[in-house]
Amino acid sequence: MTVADVMTRKVVSVTAATPFKDIAEALITGSISAVPVTGDDGHVIGMVSEADLLCKEEFREEFYREGYRPPLRARLRHPKGKQKANGDTAADLMTSPAIAVSPTASAVTAARLMDAHDVKRLAVVAPNGRLVGMVSRRDLVKVFVRSDAEIAVEVRDDVLDRSLWVDTSGVTVSVDNGVVTLSGQMDRRTEAGIAARMTGRVNGVVEVINKLTWKHDDSAWEAR
């Protein structure tokens, strides 16, 4: 499954000159947690999130001469917190450059990018750099809401019958809440292992229970 399969295509965006309050209104009205910032040519130049806006509230002086200083972990995560607290436009508030992904990238790639950069959403950009969508953690969770029937068909047709190039007529596939159970018999032990590993790569599979048996144990030969 690619980013294009799960991304949000109708994206609310702002420009570098968009005022603070207009950004806040866009987030609330659109029920979204971040907006991409685009230049005059439609290219993504940054991202403004709820966390960026909340810097203004976080650093607001609650008591006279309070001199608030965030914890070290927060300073490392948001080193420009104080600077953003004084920002009035998207250019002042945005995180730049925005972490972006191609619409043709896999959902796995998007998930790894989010984890590597500790972000909850990515701008989706075309090869020319223009914004074409947004993908969030919630969008990626859609991968796991495929029906058991859909998963079973893909495992049977694409993995067992098409990809392995061996006799899989003795294999039975059952799926329950995304958990795939492979049972039956194959010719070789290594082929059974490959079938289980490839099944685990199918979108929507939560777990693979491998109950396959085999006629010939060729694992020792594979290890040579």
Side-chain angles (χ1 to χ4, degrees), residues 69 128 150 161 184 195:
R69 184 173 173 79
N128 62 7
E150 285 180 294
D161 293 346

Side-chain angles (χ1 to χ4, degrees), residues 12-85:
V12 177
S13 64
V14 299
T15 67
T18 302
F20 183 103
K21 287 203 170 184
D22 287 354
I23 299 171
E25 184 68 31
L27 295 179
I28 294 170
T29 303
S31 298
I32 51 180
S33 59
V35 287
V37 184
T38 57
D40 296 336
D41 56 1
H43 287 62
V44 180
I45 59 175
M47 190 84 70
V48 179
S49 69
E50 293 170 326
D52 295 322
L53 298 188
L54 285 175
C55 287
K56 193 172 287 292
E57 193 66 25
E58 178 185 355
F59 285 90
R60 190 187 301 279
E61 188 175 65
E62 189 173 4
F63 305 106
Y64 180 60
R65 292 182 178 177
E66 178 190 26
Y68 169 74
R69 184 173 173 79
L72 176 61
R73 182 178 296 178
R75 295 201 304 274
L76 293 173
R77 191 169 63 250
H78 302 293
K80 297 182 178 180
K82 182 66 174 178
Q83 176 183 327
K84 291 186 178 185

Side-chain angles (χ1 to χ4, degrees), residues 76-96:
L76 293 173
R77 191 169 63 250
H78 302 293
K80 297 182 178 180
K82 182 66 174 178
Q83 176 183 327
K84 291 186 178 185
N86 297 322
D88 296 320
T89 66
D92 304 323
L93 299 161
M94 69 182 183
T95 299
S96 181

Side-chain angles (χ1 to χ4, degrees), residues 148 151 174-182 204-209:
D148 289 345
I151 295 171
S174 62
V175 187
D176 182 21
N177 287 321
V179 178
V180 180
T181 300
L182 299 177
V205 172
V206 176
E207 184 183 358
V208 178
I209 299 175

Side-chain angles (χ1 to χ4, degrees), residues 14-219:
V14 299
T15 67
T18 302
F20 183 103
K21 287 203 170 184
D22 287 354
I23 299 171
E25 184 68 31
L27 295 179
I28 294 170
T29 303
S31 298
I32 51 180
S33 59
V35 287
V37 184
T38 57
D40 296 336
D41 56 1
H43 287 62
V44 180
I45 59 175
M47 190 84 70
V48 179
S49 69
E50 293 170 326
D52 295 322
L53 298 188
L54 285 175
C55 287
K56 193 172 287 292
E57 193 66 25
E58 178 185 355
F59 285 90
R60 190 187 301 279
E61 188 175 65
E62 189 173 4
F63 305 106
Y64 180 60
R65 292 182 178 177
E66 178 190 26
Y68 169 74
R69 184 173 173 79
L72 176 61
R73 182 178 296 178
R75 295 201 304 274
L76 293 173
R77 191 169 63 250
H78 302 293
K80 297 182 178 180
K82 182 66 174 178
Q83 176 183 327
K84 291 186 178 185
N86 297 322
D88 296 320
T89 66
D92 304 323
L93 299 161
M94 69 182 183
T95 299
S96 181
I99 308 302
V101 67
S102 166
T104 60
S106 67
V108 172
T109 297
R112 290 174 179 174
L113 270 174
M114 288 182 191
D115 186 57
H117 294 278
D118 192 26
V119 295
K120 297 179 181 179
R121 82 289 299 168
L122 303 170
V124 185
V125 297
N128 62 7
R130 292 181 181 275
L131 179 70
V132 294
M134 289 280 288
V135 62
S136 66
R137 289 177 178 175
R138 179 175 295 181
D139 293 325
L140 294 182
V141 171
K142 293 175 185 176
V143 169
F144 294 103
V145 297
R146 298 182 74 193
S147 70
D148 289 345
E150 285 180 294
I151 295 171
V153 168
E154 184 168 342
V155 172
R156 180 79 260 173
D157 293 350
D158 291 350
V159 175
L160 298 178
D161 293 346
R162 223 173 264 144
S163 300
L164 288 181
W165 290 27
V166 295
D167 181 16
T168 58
S169 58
V171 178
T172 300
V173 180
S174 62
V175 187
D176 182 21
N177 287 321
V179 178
V180 180
T181 300
L182 299 177
S183 55
Q185 189 177 62
M186 295 185 69
D187 187 53
R188 300 178 183 278
R189 181 175 182 174
T190 55
E191 294 169 353
I194 292 171
R197 288 195 297 273
M198 292 184 68
T199 297
R201 296 172 187 164
V202 171
N203 289 305
V205 172
V206 176
E207 184 183 358
V208 178
I209 299 175
N210 186 1
K211 293 184 177 180
L212 292 170
T213 59
W214 47 86
K215 299 176 184 176
H216 307 289
D217 187 351
D218 60 339
S219 56

